[in-house]
Amino acid sequence: MKYTAARARRSHRSPFEDALNAGDVDAVLALFSPDATMRTPAGEVITGPAELRAEIAGTVAAQARLTNKARFCLTGDDTALIVVDWTLEATAPDGTRVTPTGTTANVARRSADGSWRFTILNPLGTA
């Protein structure tokens, strides 16, 4: 499923949410550009496919369930700023279920095929 700016504006769900909730690490990673950077919920900045795979695989292993609510998407040329409120229910290392929430500020770039790929994913928003 392609992630488009129009889809972000009209939908509370996203391909990221759908793929993560399905436990499909490869589908999540397909939404990132090869040179993408992510600030993890723990505040660490990671870059590149191997680090992104490890982060997403850990989230999937924690039996995470993501719920997004789109706030807005601003596009200019081939760049989009996507702001989304999120809730993530997951299993902590001690076995308890935790439910962090936040607002993500993401940047995506339009690919040659017209789809959008995340270049920056920042689930901590401006925090």
Side-chain angles (χ1 to χ4, degrees), residues 9-32:
R9 284 190 294 267
R10 71 175 181 265
S11 174
H12 291 285
R13 293 177 39 155
S14 70
F16 186 96
E17 178 181 359
D18 292 341
L20 187 70
N21 289 343
D24 191 339
V25 174
D26 290 326
V28 172
L29 294 173
L31 299 170
F32 288 88

Side-chain angles (χ1 to χ4, degrees), residues 49-107:
E51 291 183 355
L52 290 168
R53 177 174 291 281
E55 179 67 21
I56 300 303
T59 303
V60 167
Q63 302 170 340
R65 180 85 185 148
L66 178 66
T67 303
N68 284 332
K69 182 177 179 189
R71 282 178 132 193
F72 62 87
C73 178
L74 300 174
T75 58
D77 223 13
D78 288 336
T79 304
L81 172 63
I82 305 161
V83 177
V84 174
D85 293 325
W86 58 267
T87 301
L88 183 73
E89 184 180 348
T91 302
D94 67 2
T96 61
R97 291 297 276 178
V98 296
T99 310
T101 62
T103 299
T104 185
N106 303 323
V107 177

